[in-house]
Amino acid sequence: MARGLGAAFVVVACAGGLLALGPRAAAPGGVSAPVLPAGDPVADARAATGMRPQDPSSWSQLALSEIERARLTLDPADLAVADQALGRSLALRPERNYEATVGHGQLANARHEFARGADYGRQAAAMAPDRPAGFAVLADAEIQLGDYPAATAAAQRLLDLAPTVAGYTRAAYDLETHGRAEEAQLLLERGLETAASPGEQAFCEHRLGDLAWESGRPAEAETHYRRALAASPGDRNAEAGLARAQAAQGEPDAAARRYRALNERAPVPQFLLEEAELLLSRDRPADQPLTALAAEARLLRASGGPVDPYLGLYLADHGDPATAVDLLRTEWAVRHSVLVADALGWALHAAGDDREAIGFLREAARTGWHSALFDYHLGTVEHALGLPEGRDQLRAALARNPHFSPYHAPRAAALVEGRP
């Protein structure tokens, strides 16, 4: 197999792909299909530990089931149960416990402790270099840490070992991150062909919708999101995507209702911010989502922990930019993701420091990711600094996706046209 996803793409496309957090994908951990399989895997895993309490693999499987459920429920109690189950597994098999090592890596990634996730991924890969699960953990962690060559290598190894949905989707995300959206689409379509469960089908469909959305094709995106919801009713990423597409196609009231229902059950910063900015763009009160975002920001300032870039964007545009800068500087110290670079650059702009901001926004552009939001942020700061390329960058954002934000797209257009 050729080195790297770029050189190996022909083989990849024919033989056999990746999931992580992108500009519009922000699930906790960001590593697995969006729904649990039919039945109740947690109940089944608990039953297995009851029947085989001395079996370390049964406890590891319980942990993995709890981690997956936490990704769906957003309940940290599920992660605490997973942590306990992994401890039990390691107590029973302290040495060379591959399943528990992978489980700890997934748990760390679910908690957005990506440096720990990468450590566990490397341990698992060294322990069993011919098993795919460790490389999945490593790929997810490295791409969030901003070590893109390492992420590509892990994704390629995963795809070599397991040409399945897990491999195809991770490889597709890696390609998208490097501005190769057409190749990413091919891999997601291949993943869709090999999907073995409704959850895998839904995940591939919603990611295809994301690619269509980022390319300025909201009608096509809507088709994919509806297919995802048909396979997995209630999938929150597909629900948010559908709301986005509806707003772009002249159905803002339907979009607002969908966001409200979604945020009542899955109040994550990205979706709250999208709801708030849709409402604000229509001169409607946005008290509910903005209050929820403010509460999350207060909790983060009080307790610390990983910083969601969308929470930083909320603070930059609708809260306290100085707090956004402080939080995102702390996050940047531990992970050099382009997502963090973009959010930090925008927060610096909002705080009045365009000269430092532009460095981070150019850092965000280094992989070539086709993101209208990134283009808008960079173009706005270049324009503020009087750089001639600013308007071209803003035009590129609007050409890429004229609907990228109901709140910010009109501002981009105003800057291009020289309006206040």
Side-chain angles (χ1 to χ4, degrees):
M1 179 66 71
R3 292 182 184 176
L5 289 166
F9 176 68
V10 174
V11 178
V12 166
C14 296
L18 196 261
L19 157 83
L21 305 179
R24 298 235 174 234
V31 299
S32 51
V35 296
L36 291 168
D40 187 345
V42 172
D44 292 344
R46 286 178 177 169
T49 60
M51 291 185 292
R52 298 184 297 276
Q54 301 305 309
D55 176 20
S57 296
S58 295
W59 288 100
S60 292
Q61 185 55 52
L62 173 59
L64 297 179
S65 298
E66 293 282 2
I67 292 167
E68 175 61 6
R69 184 162 74 172
R71 197 186 59 76
L72 299 171
T73 63
L74 305 181
D75 187 348
D78 294 325
L79 297 181
V81 173
D83 207 349
Q84 293 172 355
L86 290 169
R88 177 64 175 154
S89 178
L90 284 171
L92 292 167
R93 186 189 294 157
E95 302 295 330
R96 299 193 62 79
N97 189 331
Y98 180 81
E99 291 85 356
T101 302
V102 167
H104 273 296
Q106 289 195 11
L107 179 62
N109 285 345
R111 289 171 165 166
H112 288 195
E113 298 169 352
F114 296 114
R116 293 185 67 234
D119 286 342
Y120 282 116
R122 284 188 286 268
Q123 290 176 36
M127 195 181 302
D130 293 326
R131 297 178 69 175
F135 292 99
V137 169
L138 185 57
D140 293 333
E142 294 288 19
I143 208 160
Q144 292 304 315
L145 291 169
D147 189 341
Y148 296 103
T152 297
Q156 182 65 67
R157 181 59 178 159
L158 171 63
L159 195 57
D160 292 344
L161 293 170
T164 61
V165 168
Y168 284 121
T169 51
R170 284 175 172 81
Y173 182 72
D174 186 88
L175 289 168
E176 182 188 3
T177 301
H178 290 87
R180 298 165 64 183
E182 292 181 0
E183 293 165 87
Q185 179 177 335
L186 290 174
L187 285 191
L188 288 170
E189 289 170 350
R190 180 63 173 152
L192 187 58
E193 291 172 1
T194 61
S197 70
E200 290 185 341
Q201 179 185 348
F203 185 75
C204 291
E205 288 284 11
H206 110 245
R207 289 293 294 120
L208 284 164
D210 290 346
L211 287 178
W213 169 261
E214 290 291 348
S215 299
R217 306 191 303 272
E220 182 182 335
E222 178 177 352
T223 297
H224 286 296
Y225 293 135
R226 289 195 182 278
R227 288 175 182 169
L229 289 168
S232 172
D235 180 288
R236 67 176 185 267
N237 291 300
E239 288 281 8
L242 182 53
R244 244 175 265 133
Q246 287 177 313
Q249 295 177 97
E251 298 181 73
D253 290 336
R257 289 193 297 271
R258 190 174 297 277
Y259 274 127
R260 180 84 315 260
L262 173 62
N263 284 326
E264 286 174 353
R265 65 182 177 86
V268 298
Q270 178 185 350
F271 306 153
L272 289 165
L273 182 59
E274 289 180 8
E275 179 190 2
E277 293 190 339
L278 173 61
L279 294 170
L280 292 171
S281 74
R282 305 185 68 223
D283 295 322
R284 301 282 182 85
D287 295 346
Q288 283 182 302
L290 290 176
T291 297
L293 285 162
E296 291 200 26
R298 286 195 300 272
L299 180 62
L300 180 62
R301 288 198 299 270
S303 61
V307 180
D308 187 313
Y310 282 96
L311 196 59
L313 293 177
Y314 150 72
L315 286 166
D317 286 322
H318 311 288
D320 180 4
T323 297
V325 170
D326 289 343
L327 290 173
L328 288 164
R329 281 196 196 280
T330 301
E331 189 69 6
W332 180 252
V334 296
R335 64 180 184 119
H336 285 191
S337 162
V338 294
L339 300 173
V340 180
D342 172 74
L344 177 52
W346 190 244
L348 284 162
H349 164 70
D353 190 348
D354 287 326
R355 294 195 177 279
E356 186 177 7
I358 197 168
F360 283 101
L361 294 172
R362 287 173 174 168
E363 174 70 15
R366 69 185 168 99
T367 66
W369 204 330
H370 293 166
S371 167
L373 186 66
F374 284 13
D375 289 342
Y376 164 68
H377 287 163
L378 178 56
T380 299
V381 172
E382 288 175 336
H383 185 272
L385 289 170
L387 300 177
E389 58 265 37
R391 283 189 177 177
D392 290 340
Q393 195 73 37
L394 290 165
R395 289 189 187 98
L398 292 168
R400 192 181 305 284
N401 183 1
H403 313 289
F404 73 89
S405 165
Y407 185 81
H408 289 289
R411 287 162 170 74
L415 287 173
V416 168
E417 296 166 8
R419 293 186 282 112

